[in-house]
Amino acid sequence: MISTSDDVMTTVRLWSLSEDALVEEGDEAGSLNVVTRWGELNVESAGAFAIESLRRMGLGPVSLQNVVTARKAGPARKLHDLAGLERVLDQVSGSVVHSLGLADGQRPLLSVVPVVASPAFRLTEVEPGVLNRLSRFAVLRPEDGDLLLESPRAEFRVVLSQPQAVRIASSLAAPATVEALAGSTGVPEHVVADVVAFLTAAGVVLSGDDEEHFAEDADAALRHWSHHELLFHTHSRSRRGEIVSEAAYQQATENPPPLTKPVPDGERFPLSTPDLGGTSPSLTELLEDDHECPKFSPVDLTREQLGELLFRSARIRSAGPAHPPIPPGHDATQRPYFAIACLYELELYLSIDRCAGLPRAIYHYDPDGHALTLIDDDPGHLAAMLDLAKVAAGSMRRPAAMISVTARMERTAWVLGGAAYAVTLMHVGALQQTLYLCAKAMGLAAHAVPVDASDTVDRVLGLDWPAEIGVGECVLDALT
């Protein structure tokens, strides 16, 4: 399917290795070790030709046909060598980059980069007259001067390096044939056909059937997924090419993010420290009781109850040397709820409507000093926050208080890279469960609610978005 005309618009198929791949000769003659982000792979009986070819691929894109043609060997030997090389490439497919170039000596039109350990790149000819379209999950974004096309359903992501490839890919937002794409983009039809074939093999473009239907649209398993949720899932689980940047890591190691957010200006309200030696229901009793969102009561909370709840669930118990993967010499904290590597990026804000001993206002919780700082006593702002909780809980009454949880992403991103936000959501769940169980043991109700925060939470709390972001809410009330 790759065109063979002699002009500069001839398309050329190219192969290379991903930047993280290292090729080494194995211990046994003719064997090969390839060290990649997926681990180390040993290929037995690879042969000298395959080893040398992979080394050349590590330097940049090459044409396998040119590599084979340049060998001083007979036709039968060349075919044998090519078959052996293709066998090796199949075994290390998670590090093989497939590119499409033009015979003009410039950068490839596009490059297809694997994002899983064992992808299958099956290039087939695009049939004339068949409609082609981008997957509805596909995303196009800039990266390092190129445009990156990716889909959470695909085993590859595509780097679009030349304008012709960008025009073709963007024109596939609506179904189109190769002939129609050539007419709308001004790119020769044979080049369009090859680009579409690469995009289809990469999994970011779909081909319709005889009735112009696309299988993705009728897939019941995909129907309940939104594009952003599926993309977030795949990126947070596999960290597809998203690692901690060297600059961010260096900055954090030299100037580590503070363990807690600096205490804001405002009137300070110290909270009481409870006696933890008393009796409480067993964990089994708390877990086995029915979990219900309570009906909000007119009963006020007390400052002592609030202090006990926050002390039991969210205070800093101690600070000291951090656990791996943070470099030695960095400090972390210990708190009642779980956090990976004790990074503890979460902050708590309380919108208080009814609590004896505390004015109606919005507060920030200092987990180190175990105190509240009043940050906003505007009645309109407080009402807006509490109404969010009321609507989310399906109640006619506002709760006594709402706890808003935020995250300072600098505490986690420099260690966890592309997984930082997914880990933050794990931490929110751990904190919510701890709040829930501690409140229940105290005869209170702390219940997570799905607040539609819009921009209200960020604006009212004065968050420096996106350095600090709202990630969850919990209503707090007395049990009826």
Side-chain angles (χ1 to χ4, degrees):
M1 58 154 284
I2 302 300
S3 306
T4 57
S5 60
D6 294 328
D7 59 27
V8 293
M9 294 307 288
T10 300
T11 55
V12 181
R13 185 175 179 185
L14 304 167
W15 283 259
S16 61
L17 293 182
S18 55
E19 294 180 357
D20 58 4
L22 175 65
V23 179
E24 302 173 336
E25 288 192 46
D27 295 333
E28 298 182 6
S31 66
L32 177 71
N33 288 332
V34 182
V35 182
T36 74
R37 62 179 295 194
W38 316 110
E40 184 173 342
L41 180 66
N42 177 257
V43 182
E44 298 180 355
S45 303
F49 174 70
I51 294 174
E52 180 59 28
S53 297
L54 261 67
R55 282 178 172 164
R56 291 182 61 180
M57 289 167 58
L59 301 176
V62 299
S63 165
L64 295 190
Q65 193 63 45
N66 289 346
V67 170
V68 173
T69 302
R71 279 181 60 74
K72 295 180 180 180
R77 183 62 190 179
K78 288 181 179 180
L79 287 175
H80 178 270
D81 288 343
L82 181 59
L85 176 56
E86 290 176 344
R87 176 181 61 85
V88 172
L89 292 178
D90 282 341
Q91 293 184 63
V92 298
S93 61
S95 297
V96 177
V97 178
H98 303 266
S99 298
L100 180 68
L102 295 175
D104 57 3
Q106 302 299 313
R107 297 179 65 197
L109 291 167
L110 58 85
S111 295
V112 177
V113 183
V115 294
V116 296
S118 300
F121 187 77
R122 301 288 181 259
L123 201 58
T124 58
E125 188 172 354
V126 178
E127 296 294 333
V130 170
L131 289 175
N132 307 279
R133 191 202 73 194
L134 285 170
S135 165
R136 75 176 179 91
F137 296 97
V139 175
L140 188 64
R141 62 182 177 85
E143 184 177 271
D144 298 330
D146 295 316
L147 279 176
L148 185 68
L149 178 61
E150 60 184 339
S151 167
R153 299 191 59 216
E155 296 181 332
F156 302 88
R157 58 181 188 165
V158 183
V159 180
L160 304 171
S161 302
Q162 295 290 357
Q164 302 97 313
V166 173
R167 291 203 298 272
I168 295 167
S170 60
S171 297
L172 285 165
T177 64
V178 167
E179 182 182 10
L181 287 169
S184 64
T185 62
V187 180
E189 190 170 326
H190 72 275
V191 177
V192 173
D194 291 345
V195 169
V196 172
F198 263 69
L199 296 177
T200 303
V204 295
V205 163
L206 312 172
S207 293
D209 59 21
D210 293 339
E211 297 182 357
E212 302 181 357
H213 296 151
F214 296 89
E216 179 183 86
D217 298 337
D219 191 330
L222 294 173
R223 198 169 296 151
H224 63 277
W225 280 102
S226 65
H227 67 280
H228 66 278
E229 287 180 319
L230 194 57
L231 186 67
F232 167 64
H233 167 73
T234 55
H235 275 264
S236 61
R237 293 292 291 175
S238 65
R239 309 186 207 179
R240 300 187 170 194
E242 297 180 1
I243 58 176
V244 180
S245 72
E246 185 175 341
Y249 190 82
Q250 185 68 23
Q251 169 68 20
T253 52
E254 293 177 357
N255 300 290
L259 297 180
T260 61
K261 181 177 180 176
V263 177
D265 295 331
E267 187 177 358
R268 193 167 171 84
F269 295 82
L271 297 173
S272 59
T273 300
D275 178 10
L276 298 182
T279 59
S280 295
S282 69
L283 179 61
T284 299
E285 290 177 287
L286 295 173
L287 293 175
E288 290 302 317
D289 197 8
D290 288 342
H291 308 314
E292 297 178 354
C293 188
K295 294 181 179 179
F296 300 150
S297 76
V299 179
D300 290 356
L301 298 174
T302 68
R303 184 168 168 177
E304 289 72 23
Q305 287 175 320
L306 197 59
E308 179 176 349
L309 176 64
L310 294 173
F311 186 87
R312 289 179 178 273
S313 59
R315 82 188 190 282
I316 292 178
R317 292 198 303 250
S318 63
H323 296 290
I326 301 176
H330 286 251
D331 287 340
T333 61
Q334 292 284 350
R335 309 188 194 189
Y337 64 95
F338 168 80
I340 289 176
C342 296
L343 290 167
Y344 288 107
E345 76 282 19
L346 302 183
E347 299 286 333
L348 273 63
Y349 296 80
L350 287 86
S351 300
I352 296 179
D353 188 36
R354 303 186 313 278
C355 182
L358 288 171
R360 295 181 72 253
I362 300 172
Y363 301 82
H364 171 261
Y365 175 60
D366 172 15
D368 189 26
H370 188 52
L372 295 177
T373 301
L374 194 156
I375 61 170
D376 191 339
D377 58 1
D378 184 307
H381 289 171
L382 178 62
M385 295 291 282
L386 294 170
D387 284 345
L388 288 177
K390 180 179 72 172
V391 171
S395 173
M396 299 298 293
R397 185 192 298 273
R398 293 173 178 170
M402 180 176 72
I403 300 175
S404 298
V405 183
T406 70
R408 296 179 299 124
M409 297 306 296
E410 65 173 348
R411 278 294 300 166
T412 52
W414 70 282
V415 175
L416 300 171
Y421 186 67
V423 169
T424 286
L425 296 185
M426 296 181 200
H427 294 165
V428 174
L431 174 60
Q432 295 276 25
Q433 176 79 333
T434 305
L435 285 165
Y436 169 79
L437 293 174
C438 290
K440 200 169 185 180
M442 294 171 56
L444 302 176
H447 207 284
V449 288
V451 165
D452 180 6
S454 184
D455 69 333
T456 302
V457 172
D458 296 344
R459 176 173 48 81
V460 171
L461 298 183
L463 303 184
D464 182 18
W465 191 94
E468 184 180 3
I469 56 174
V471 289
E473 283 76 29
C474 175
V475 293
L476 182 61
D477 212 279
L479 286 175
T480 54

